[in-house]
Amino acid sequence: MTGITGIHHITCISGAAQENVDFYEGVLGMRLVKRSVNQDSPGTYHLFYADNEGHPGSDLTFFPWQEMPPAKSGAGLAMEVSLAVPLGSIDYWADRLRDNHIEVGEVETRRGTSAFSFADPHGLPLAIHETGDEREFTAWPDSPVPIEKQIRGLHTVRLWESDLALTSAFLTGVLGFVDIGSVGGWTGFEVGGGGSGRYVEIREIPDGARGRWGVGGVHHVAWRVPDDETELVVRESIERARRRPTEVIDRFWFKSVYFLEPGGVLFEIATDGPGFAIDEDPATLGEHLVLPPWLEEHRGEIEAALPPIKPPVQSASRS
């Protein structure tokens, strides 16, 4: 066991920032808990959506790079992000998305519970997946979605790989995942005994072309560890496996290590803390542009380069 406990966050590439906010806060009812910038390219936002407190594992984030071409599906990319919702809420979510002009797939059974696929307005493949698994979650009282129906966070990420065996050996031999078998062409892996947010599934496409980042695609998948010490242990294991991890990078709200898994998907190891409330009042998370201390001296030029973001127009609602 390496200390990885599940998904920390998943970062994706979107089109226009306002359209992204309108959908994830206005339609999906997730809270915008951090409005910041890409620390490696501060001319673009980094938007973080999560539960009310921004718990690790509830966090879906975006770089709005609307100038990029659409993502190209293919091997070496994360190809779907599934969002955990409470048992019995699948019909609510299908109706809510249709009411907001989103096409939804047929309801199917995935490893024992109901799910359906859809895409966000910029083409990102998503799924709504019912789960009764225990997880950290705090409801957002101001969400347009009723508390008992709200998205609980991330459930599964699906990858396309050209060689299943290579990535499988890395997941199980280095990162501490357990192979839970294949269902419907997807081979599943879990960490920490299973539970919402602790799954990854892989489809092998041996003759498939390499995928490409772009609007509507996943940029990277971050796996959570509880603290700095555990992160260093995991990093050492990755380095021994010759995956060339970065040094630990301080992202202020958590610390990160990045590397490519054998199939080419960009992975991150991220610490649970210190968390999003370290520099904001929990009551007003995400309402203002927040920068890490080392970027504060550039605030004026950063703000001038960013488009304004307004609260989303209230979306269609079902109780």
Side-chain angles (χ1 to χ4, degrees):
M1 179 64 186
T2 62
I4 292 174
T5 60
I7 301 170
H8 184 282
H9 66 272
I10 295 176
T11 296
C12 308
I13 300 169
S14 78
Q18 185 64 58
E19 294 172 1
N20 185 257
V21 173
D22 289 346
F23 182 72
Y24 284 91
E25 188 172 295
V27 177
L28 293 190
M30 302 175 76
R31 186 181 185 189
L32 179 61
V33 294
K34 190 64 65 177
R35 184 185 309 200
S36 191
V37 294
N38 181 324
Q39 294 180 18
D40 303 314
S41 179
T44 190
Y45 281 114
H46 193 178
L47 304 175
F48 297 73
Y49 304 90
D51 71 350
N52 190 50
E53 295 182 25
H55 282 113
S58 69
D59 193 5
L60 187 59
T61 91
F62 290 88
F63 302 140
W65 281 328
Q66 64 187 87
E67 71 279 3
M68 290 186 73
K72 177 186 175 184
S73 301
L77 287 184
M79 289 302 303
E80 185 191 81
V81 177
S82 76
L83 305 172
V85 299
L87 295 173
S89 63
I90 200 82
D91 290 339
Y92 167 87
W93 277 104
D95 289 342
R96 181 173 179 81
L97 288 167
R98 290 189 188 104
D99 287 349
N100 283 278
H101 314 294
I102 299 295
E103 184 177 347
V104 304
E106 294 295 323
V107 174
E108 58 183 297
T109 300
R110 296 188 182 181
R111 299 188 184 272
T113 54
S114 296
F116 64 79
S117 60
F118 66 104
D120 81 358
H122 297 145
L124 179 69
L126 297 168
I128 291 291
H129 195 140
E130 286 190 346
T131 173
D133 296 332
E134 292 295 321
R135 65 176 300 136
E136 296 170 301
F137 171 75
T138 304
W140 180 32
D142 295 326
S143 173
V145 174
I147 286 174
E148 69 276 9
K149 310 287 189 185
Q150 286 179 20
I151 291 169
R152 266 42 180 174
L154 304 170
H155 184 59
T156 312
V157 60
R158 284 181 157 182
L159 317 179
W160 284 6
E161 302 279 18
S162 58
D163 188 332
L164 172 62
L166 277 178
T167 298
S168 174
F170 179 78
L171 289 174
T172 58
V174 178
L175 297 188
F177 284 75
V178 175
D179 187 334
I180 56 173
S182 295
V183 177
W186 293 94
T187 301
F189 302 85
E190 70 177 22
V191 293
S196 185
R198 300 179 182 178
Y199 295 108
V200 57
E201 291 188 309
I202 297 174
R203 169 162 284 166
E204 186 176 43
I205 52 168
D207 300 320
R210 176 80 185 178
R212 184 189 63 216
W213 281 342
V215 172
V218 173
H219 187 270
H220 65 267
V221 179
W223 302 101
R224 63 187 290 200
V225 291
D227 50 44
D228 295 2
E229 292 76 16
T230 306
E231 183 169 58
L232 291 174
V233 171
V234 175
R235 185 192 178 281
E236 183 178 348
S237 297
I238 295 164
E239 190 166 46
R240 285 199 305 267
R242 300 181 179 180
R243 295 316 310 164
R244 301 172 62 187
T246 65
E247 296 300 320
V248 175
I249 300 172
D250 187 355
R251 296 304 193 190
F252 196 63
W253 310 293
F254 45 86
K255 292 181 179 177
S256 301
V257 171
Y258 301 87
F259 63 97
L260 296 175
E261 57 80 29
V265 180
L266 181 59
F267 277 2
E268 175 185 350
I269 305 299
T271 57
D272 280 354
F276 293 127
I278 190 173
D279 57 355
E280 285 189 276
D281 183 337
T284 58
L285 288 176
E287 294 182 11
H288 308 284
L289 180 69
V290 174
L291 302 175
W294 54 88
L295 289 178
E296 273 296 341
E297 63 180 297
H298 304 291
R299 175 175 285 274
E301 59 195 272
I302 288 172
E303 288 183 332
L306 297 172
I309 292 177
K310 300 179 293 185
V313 175
Q314 186 73 9
S315 65
S317 177
R318 284 175 172 266
S319 57

